[in-house]
């Protein structure tokens, strides 16, 4: 049984930092693209960051480029999202997702992802 469990969300002031973690179990971690999505109230779920571990490539939404960093600890099958210089517009529920590695780039739409975590709330106060 595949499980993705996020942690690390919380309340932070604008300009602050948070580090999200996603622990994966029940899958071969290296065979999956891992990504973070977020969903704010009344908005669609949007891509934030993703990684193809084969080749070491990372992808970011324009809105977070230069502020967020996706990384992994393959020994622990864990993916992290370091979020710096947080803004009020970063407030959302953040989801970890896994997509079986099938293409050259990370998929930026949520539909093809095979597995999802339960989400963790990030609230940035201005």
């Amino acid at each position: 049984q595949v499980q993705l469990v996020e942690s690390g969300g919380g309340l932070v002031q604008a300009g602050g930092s948070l580090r999200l973690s996603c622990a994966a179990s029940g899958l071969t971690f290296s065979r999956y693209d891992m990504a973070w999505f977020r969903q704010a109230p009344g908005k669609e779920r949007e891509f934030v960051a993703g990684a193809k571990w084969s080749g070491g490539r990372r992808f970011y939404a324009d809105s977070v480029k230069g502020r967020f960093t996706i990384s992994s600890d393959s020994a622990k099958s864990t993916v992290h999202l370091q979020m710096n210089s947080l803004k009020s517009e970063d407030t959302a529920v953040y989801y970890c997702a896994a997509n079986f590695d099938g293409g050259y780039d990370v998929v930026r739409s949520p539909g093809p992802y095979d597995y999802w975590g339960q989400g963790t709330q990030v609230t940035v106060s201005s």
Side-chain angles (χ1 to χ4, degrees):
Q1 180 181 2
V2 175
Q3 281 192 312
L4 303 177
V5 180
E6 299 105 334
S7 61
L11 173 65
V12 64
Q13 288 189 330
S17 299
L18 280 175
R19 188 187 193 217
L20 305 183
S21 297
C22 172
S25 61
L27 54 74
T28 304
F29 189 72
S30 60
R31 296 294 304 276
Y32 283 79
D33 297 339
M34 299 298 293
W36 290 92
F37 286 78
R38 66 186 181 187
Q39 189 166 18
K43 295 189 176 181
E44 293 186 350
R45 191 167 297 190
E46 65 174 358
F47 174 83
V48 175
K52 293 193 76 71
W53 309 124
S54 57
R57 288 180 296 129
R58 292 161 174 79
F59 304 80
Y60 298 95
D62 288 343
S63 58
V64 307
K65 202 172 293 184
R67 300 188 298 123
F68 290 12
T69 303
I70 187 170
S71 64
S72 72
D73 182 343
S74 57
K76 297 181 179 179
S77 297
T78 301
V79 60
H80 304 287
L81 184 68
Q82 178 66 43
M83 305 186 295
N84 298 328
S85 302
L86 283 161
K87 307 175 181 179
S88 56
E89 50 263 45
D90 294 319
T91 295
V93 177
Y94 283 70
Y95 298 91
C96 173
N99 180 33
F100 189 73
D101 187 355
Y104 182 74
D105 291 328
V106 161
V107 176
R108 294 177 180 246
S109 58
Y113 281 79
D114 302 295
Y115 304 105
W116 292 86
Q118 81 287 354
T120 185
Q121 176 70 46
V122 171
T123 303
V124 183
S125 63
S126 55

